[in-house]
């Protein structure tokens, strides 16, 4: 039976199970090979598989999940025991900022709080037991309920990683998708400085000097000036379309596109597809 094309599907499990998947699992190996506590910002055009890549990383690293079958026939499965042993090895925080926008800062902040509260709710069970103090449990509840103020929310990413590290005894993987959407919304609507005041500690506290962090991957279309959003975040590795490394991890190479067209019996369309979509170069690819 012919595999279907995963048009509009960004959940790795759904793609790996039922769809034609252009194998990008070696991104996992490249992330594991980075020094402990590394944070990588991937800037790529829209529709180049950034969200699917983060879903794949979450599926691989997510603690306690039996996700091995989703990688059995993938490239990462042939990379050796060192890499496969890290399947299901870390608590994962994943947030997407793609809908965090608004005409006013209050509207944007409300939507950001909803995203954060939802991720806290996913880990609500950690408030049972003695890993958190009573004060921390109250803080956790105020984030889930949305009653905490903006300052409390601006530290929430770092605090959740600390809570998870303490509860599970394992360093945390942080995955942030479309990090730049709220910043661009704020710039376009005239409250850029307010947004920076919130997001600078939100990102920086979690991604630098955080002993609970194992690794982080952040995706976006644009690189916001380091002096504003990422000031002091000198451990951030920026991998743009002109950078080297991770060259094959996003988008399709000519060979991958040719294989895909051949699978669907459209070999003769290769030149046309090249005219429509070709011309991008990431690093050396």
């Amino acid at each position: 039976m012919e595999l279907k094309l995963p048009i509009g599907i960004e959940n790795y499990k759904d793609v790996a199970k039922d769809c034609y998947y252009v194998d990008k699992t070696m991104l996992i190996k490249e992330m594991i090979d980075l020094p402990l506590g590394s944070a990588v910002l991937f800037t790529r055009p829209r529709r180049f598989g950034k969200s699917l890549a983060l879903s794949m990383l979450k599926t691989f690293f997510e603690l306690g999940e039996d996700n091995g079958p989703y990688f059995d026939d993938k490239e990462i499965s042939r990379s050796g025991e060192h890499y496969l042993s890290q399947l299901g090895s870390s608590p994962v925080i994943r947030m997407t900022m793609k809908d965090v926008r608004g005409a006013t800062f209050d509207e944007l902040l409300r939507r950001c709080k909803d995203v954060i509260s939802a991720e806290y709710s996913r880990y609500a069970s950690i408030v049972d037991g003695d890993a958190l103090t009573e004060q921390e449990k109250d803080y956790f509840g105020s984030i889930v309920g949305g009653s905490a103020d903006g300052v409390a929310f601006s530290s929430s990413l770092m605090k959740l990683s600390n809570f998870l590290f303490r509860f599970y005894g394992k360093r945390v993987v942080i995955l942030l998708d479309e990090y730049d959407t709220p910043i661009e919304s704020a710039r376009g609507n005239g409250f850029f400085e307010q947004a920076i005041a919130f997001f600078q500690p939100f990102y920086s506290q979690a991604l630098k000097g955080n002993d609970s962090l194992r690794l982080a991957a952040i995706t976006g279309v644009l690189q916001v000036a380091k002096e504003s959003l990422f000031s002091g975040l000198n451990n951030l590795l920026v991998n743009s379309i002109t950078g080297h490394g991770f060259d094959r991890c996003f988008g399709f190479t000519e060979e991958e596109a040719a294989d895909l067209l051949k699978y669907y019996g459209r070999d003769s369309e290769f030149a046309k597809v090249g005219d429509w979509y070709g011309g991008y170069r990431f690093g050396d690819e």
Side-chain angles (χ1 to χ4, degrees):
M1 186 177 69
E2 187 175 86
L3 294 169
K4 63 184 179 181
L5 283 167
I7 298 171
I9 301 175
E10 296 180 344
N11 184 298
Y12 173 76
K13 290 183 180 180
D14 292 337
V15 175
K17 180 172 62 176
D18 298 321
C19 301
Y20 188 104
Y21 175 64
V22 179
D23 196 329
K24 301 295 177 180
T25 58
M26 293 306 282
L27 172 61
I28 297 166
K29 178 181 182 297
E30 295 204 39
M31 294 298 295
I32 291 173
D33 286 342
L34 293 172
L36 187 67
S38 293
V40 187
L41 169 61
F42 298 103
T43 58
R44 294 292 188 279
R46 300 197 185 282
R47 314 313 309 165
F48 271 77
K50 299 186 296 298
S51 297
L52 180 59
L54 293 196
S55 178
M56 177 193 67
L57 292 173
K58 178 178 182 289
T59 303
F60 185 87
F61 286 110
E62 186 105 86
L63 187 68
E65 296 289 329
D66 182 19
N67 289 329
Y70 294 105
F71 298 95
D72 282 346
D73 59 345
K74 304 297 186 288
E75 286 188 53
I76 189 64
S77 70
R78 299 184 286 276
S79 297
E81 182 57 28
H82 170 67
Y83 299 100
L84 289 179
S85 67
Q86 298 185 56
L87 182 71
S89 61
S90 295
V92 176
I93 299 171
R94 186 188 178 201
M95 298 182 188
T96 178
M97 300 296 173
K98 69 182 179 67
D99 295 320
V100 178
R101 58 181 82 233
T104 66
F105 177 68
D106 287 343
E107 182 183 352
L108 183 146
L109 184 59
R110 283 198 305 274
R111 290 179 176 167
C112 187
K113 285 182 175 182
D114 288 343
V115 170
I116 297 167
S117 296
E119 192 65 2
Y120 265 70
S121 296
R122 218 166 56 85
Y123 286 107
S125 61
I126 72 171
V127 299
D128 300 327
D130 55 5
L132 277 61
T133 67
E134 290 304 315
Q135 185 178 9
E136 288 169 337
K137 291 177 182 180
D138 289 342
Y139 172 87
F140 198 105
S142 72
I143 297 295
V144 171
S147 61
D149 61 18
V151 174
F153 267 96
S154 70
S155 298
S156 59
L157 181 56
M158 178 268 294
K159 286 184 178 293
L160 181 57
S161 68
N162 293 167
F163 297 157
L164 294 174
F165 178 48
R166 224 180 305 153
F167 185 84
Y168 292 107
K170 296 178 181 293
R171 286 179 178 246
V172 176
V173 171
I174 295 178
L175 307 173
L176 302 171
D177 199 15
E178 300 197 37
Y179 87 99
D180 52 333
T181 297
I183 308 303
E184 287 308 301
S185 177
R187 190 194 306 275
N189 287 290
F191 51 90
F192 178 76
E193 295 302 328
Q194 283 179 285
I196 291 297
F198 175 83
F199 284 104
Q200 199 276 333
F202 179 75
Y203 291 132
S204 295
Q205 289 178 12
L207 301 177
K208 183 188 179 187
N210 181 0
D211 292 336
S212 304
L213 179 66
R214 177 181 180 181
L215 61 86
I218 307 107
T219 69
V221 176
L222 304 170
Q223 181 184 344
V224 179
K226 195 167 185 177
E227 291 72 22
S228 58
L229 188 59
F230 295 127
S231 59
L233 230 177
N234 54 10
N235 65 319
L236 184 68
L237 307 173
V238 179
N239 184 255
S240 68
I241 62 172
T242 59
H244 293 272
F246 306 97
D247 295 357
R248 300 174 63 93
C249 294
F250 299 90
F252 300 159
T253 65
E254 286 191 2
E255 295 84 359
E256 289 166 346
D259 288 343
L260 191 156
L261 289 166
K262 182 177 180 180
Y263 177 83
Y264 289 102
R266 298 297 185 97
D267 311 51
S268 61
E269 308 282 356
F270 183 77
K272 183 188 293 184
V273 170
D275 288 340
W276 285 350
Y277 300 113
Y280 287 90
R281 176 178 293 275
F282 299 161
D284 293 321
E285 291 289 345

